Amino acid sequence: MAKATAKRTLKWQRDPEGMRLRILEAAKQEFSAHGLAGARVDRIAAKAGANKRMLYYHVGNKDELYLAVLEGAYDKIRSEERGLDLEHLDPPEAIRRLIEFTWNYFLRNPEFLSLLQTENLARAKHLKRSTKVKSMHSPFVEMIRAVVRRGVESGDFQVAVDPVQLYISIAALSFFYLSNSATLGVIFGRDLLDQKAKDERLAHMVGLVLAALTGQSVALFETTKAPKSRAAVAQTV
Amino acid sequence: MAKATAKRTLKWQRDPEGMRLRILEAAKQEFSAHGLAGARVDRIAAKAGANKRMLYYHVGNKDELYLAVLEGAYDKIRSEERGLDLEHLDPPEAIRRLIEFTWNYFLRNPEFLSLLQTENLARAKHLKRSTKVKSMHSPFVEMIRAVVRRGVESGDFQVAVDPVQLYISIAALSFFYLSNSATLGVIFGRDLLDQKAKDERLAHMVGLVLAALTGQSVALFETTKAPKSRAAVAQTV
DNA sequence: ACAGTATTTATCCAACAGGTTAATTTCTCC
DNA sequence: GGAGAAATTAACCTGTTGGATAAATACTGT
């Protein structure tokens, strides 16, 4: 059976690159599900379909493994961020796109949220050691700076906001809602993650930020019926 | 030595209430510093100046200990929230006060942020079991509802926002900035927690939310020189 | 003063978890 | 076709950790 040239009873195959990827993927799942201290090296190995020894052979000890996962996560979001060009849009539309992208990225990558939470609980101990991540600047700050400038010049925006503050605020509105949806859900006694709730949240965030910038209340600020809900939240990249 | 009536060589004293409090305080520190899985029962005992057996005697096992800490944290913030009466203030001022309170509470109680993060990483597993917390509704939602209604009626606010969304947004703006200050600090290469940065952040948040509600850009929205910085962030409760 | 109970101390332990050592198998190049 | 290196497996080892057991000490009411 199997391929013609293959020897019959192969106990295992060599696949260093594939193995490394499977390890990192399994580690990402494990660390985001259980945090740093809660993660189990044995479970990562099992999930990767590998022997525990492989983790140390291909990546390193638990801490190095965790840092590698974290770096990978930052790498991924930065790479997607670069694909979002806001230059051609008029300023309010650009801000909307930015908010939608952030929201959808967090929705599509919940592990990213968990990893950031975990790293912040560790006071960024690992990130500080990472030379890689430090050099991976988010393009968003400069994008926002340019958009705000254009908006002020065109008269669309009434004030010049500090782009870093705005960046943090936009991230905050999505991040907190999603990362804390579990406790908030219990407190409010309702599911913050069903489609209706998510549509309303996105509308609220866009409305809040645009109203602040333009001075005119966006229709979406109030809870709308959100027609074509699916399309509205479609991936923006 | 010691009190007159006290027998001389007392090996230890009884103090069940005090012991329980010390245990919970030590546990709060430990859990907020290391998360659930990272917390060490032995360290909690040591910090409480107690024997490890005492934890199980007075509170329960690690999970029960953690839940007790969490419930205490919610109890504390809810109690402070109730002390904040916004009825007498005109609507924009009430919103400002709300934001300042939230910001300052988080600043004064960093363990609360950590505990929430930890609990959310656990998907609110413990909170769901807690009957106590579920009945501790935050008065803020109703406060906000009333303020928004008054603001719309008086013409101060241009739109009626969903109070739950606004509550979450206000919490988000402070929470994310503080809970993620470690990673954000590394990314931006600057300290987000020095006094100047904190003043600017508070001004930004107030400006953003009030501009959105009133349609008029608040002076503070831009980065101001923030005169009397200390007073501006004084405790609001 | 003393009996009974509440509180605290002093040890112990079995399971676990991260990491290591050593043997085994596959691949590559000549 | 086989020698040497790369990749993988299997077994093991040691410190830690949550939790339990048992003994000792302080307090309370009578």
Side-chain angles (χ1 to χ4, degrees):
Chain A
M1 49 192 76
K3 287 277 188 72
T5 44
K7 246 202 222 155
R8 44 193 58 235
T9 26
L10 259 307
K11 291 195 175 171
W12 45 271
Q13 284 186 10
R14 283 190 176 187
D15 182 17
E17 295 91 356
M19 176 65 91
R20 190 186 151 87
L21 287 181
R22 273 181 295 138
I23 289 172
L24 288 177
E25 177 59 30
K28 183 170 78 177
Q29 286 180 32
E30 177 72 12
F31 283 123
S32 67
H34 302 283
L36 180 49
R40 292 293 164 255
V41 170
D42 295 88
R43 277 202 298 253
I44 294 175
K47 235 174 279 180
N51 186 287
K52 183 167 51 165
R53 180 68 179 78
M54 291 288 88
L55 312 191
Y56 296 89
Y57 184 77
H58 286 289
V59 187
N61 65 20
K62 195 181 181 183
D63 264 17
E64 295 174 286
L65 201 49
Y66 170 75
L67 181 55
V69 166
L70 196 60
E71 288 176 337
Y74 269 105
D75 195 37
K76 186 181 173 192
I77 191 176
R78 293 288 115 92
S79 136
E80 290 210 22
E81 281 174 352
R82 276 191 295 274
L84 195 69
D85 65 317
L86 308 176
E87 284 79 28
H88 314 129
L89 303 170
D90 69 273
E93 198 54 35
I95 295 295
R96 176 195 301 273
R97 278 286 277 281
L98 187 57
I99 296 172
E100 285 177 356
F101 170 82
T102 304
W103 171 253
N104 287 316
Y105 188 86
F106 291 167
L107 269 179
R108 281 184 288 122
N109 300 276
E111 341 80 40
F112 181 63
L113 302 186
S114 303
L115 291 172
L116 280 200
Q117 275 180 293
T118 295
E119 180 61 1
N120 275 292
L121 284 172
R123 304 200 171 196
K125 183 174 76 170
H126 312 84
L127 211 60
K128 281 176 186 165
R129 282 181 9 220
S130 165
T131 54
K132 254 189 208 168
V133 172
K134 279 186 199 164
S135 62
M136 288 172 16
H137 301 291
S138 167
F140 274 2
V141 171
E142 289 314 313
M143 278 188 193
I144 292 175
R145 190 189 308 280
V147 168
V148 168
R149 188 181 302 132
R150 280 170 48 221
V152 171
E153 283 167 4
S154 71
D156 280 324
F157 296 164
Q158 49 183 358
V159 279
V161 207
D162 173 9
V164 170
Q165 296 288 355
L166 186 54
Y167 171 81
I168 294 180
S169 291
I170 288 175
L173 292 171
S174 287
F175 194 104
F176 178 79
Y177 183 91
L178 294 173
S179 72
N180 285 45
S181 61
T183 56
L184 292 172
V186 173
I187 301 286
F188 291 133
R190 56 160 136 141
D191 183 8
L192 300 199
L193 297 182
D194 64 25
Q195 195 56 47
K196 181 161 168 289
K198 286 191 292 190
D199 291 345
E200 286 175 5
R201 180 62 188 170
L202 178 57
H204 169 83
M205 296 187 298
V206 170
L208 181 72
V209 175
L210 282 186
L213 290 174
T214 65
Q216 287 159 2
S217 71
V218 184
L220 286 170
F221 200 2
E222 293 189 70
T223 298
T224 63
K225 277 132 246 153
K228 307 191 71 182
S229 58
R230 275 270 166 193
V233 235
Q235 293 188 15
T236 51
V237 152
Chain B
M1 53 194 78
K3 286 274 188 72
T5 44
K7 246 199 228 163
R8 46 193 56 236
T9 26
L10 259 306
K11 291 197 175 172
W12 46 270
Q13 283 186 8
R14 282 190 175 187
D15 182 17
E17 295 90 357
M19 176 66 92
R20 190 186 151 87
L21 288 182
R22 274 181 294 138
I23 288 172
L24 288 177
E25 177 59 31
K28 184 169 80 177
Q29 286 179 32
E30 177 72 11
F31 282 123
S32 66
H34 302 284
L36 181 50
R40 291 293 165 256
V41 172
D42 296 88
R43 276 201 298 252
I44 295 175
K47 236 173 279 182
N51 188 286
K52 185 167 53 165
R53 179 68 179 79
M54 292 289 88
L55 313 191
Y56 297 90
Y57 183 76
H58 287 287
V59 188
N61 64 20
K62 194 181 181 182
D63 263 16
E64 295 173 286
L65 200 50
Y66 169 76
L67 180 56
V69 167
L70 198 60
E71 288 176 336
Y74 269 105
D75 194 36
K76 184 181 173 194
I77 191 176
R78 293 293 174 256
S79 137
E80 291 209 21
E81 282 173 353
R82 276 191 295 275
L84 195 70
D85 64 316
L86 308 176
E87 284 78 28
H88 313 130
L89 303 170
D90 69 274
E93 198 53 34
I95 295 294
R96 177 195 299 273
R97 279 286 277 280
L98 187 58
I99 296 173
E100 285 176 357
F101 169 82
T102 304
W103 171 253
N104 287 317
Y105 188 87
F106 291 167
L107 269 180
R108 280 184 289 122
N109 300 276
E111 342 79 40
F112 181 63
L113 302 186
S114 303
L115 291 173
L116 281 199
Q117 276 181 291
T118 296
E119 180 60 3
N120 275 292
L121 283 172
R123 303 199 170 196
K125 184 174 77 171
H126 313 84
L127 212 59
K128 281 176 186 163
R129 283 178 10 218
S130 166
T131 53
K132 254 189 209 169
V133 172
K134 279 184 197 164
S135 61
M136 289 172 13
H137 301 291
S138 167
F140 275 2
V141 170
E142 289 314 313
M143 279 189 193
I144 293 175
R145 191 188 308 280
V147 168
V148 167
R149 187 181 302 130
R150 280 169 50 221
V152 171
E153 283 167 3
S154 71
D156 281 324
F157 296 165
Q158 47 183 359
V159 280
V161 206
D162 173 9
V164 171
Q165 295 289 355
L166 186 54
Y167 171 81
I168 294 179
S169 292
I170 287 175
L173 292 171
S174 287
F175 194 105
F176 177 80
Y177 183 91
L178 294 173
S179 72
N180 284 45
S181 61
T183 57
L184 291 172
V186 173
I187 301 287
F188 292 133
R190 56 161 139 142
D191 182 7
L192 299 199
L193 298 182
D194 63 27
Q195 197 54 50
K196 182 162 168 287
K198 287 191 292 190
D199 290 346
E200 286 175 6
R201 180 61 187 171
L202 178 56
H204 169 83
M205 295 187 298
V206 170
L208 180 72
V209 174
L210 283 186
L213 289 174
T214 66
Q216 287 159 1
S217 70
V218 183
L220 287 170
F221 200 3
E222 293 189 70
T223 297
T224 63
K225 275 132 245 151
K228 306 191 67 181
S229 58
R230 275 271 165 193
V233 235
Q235 292 189 17
T236 51
V237 150

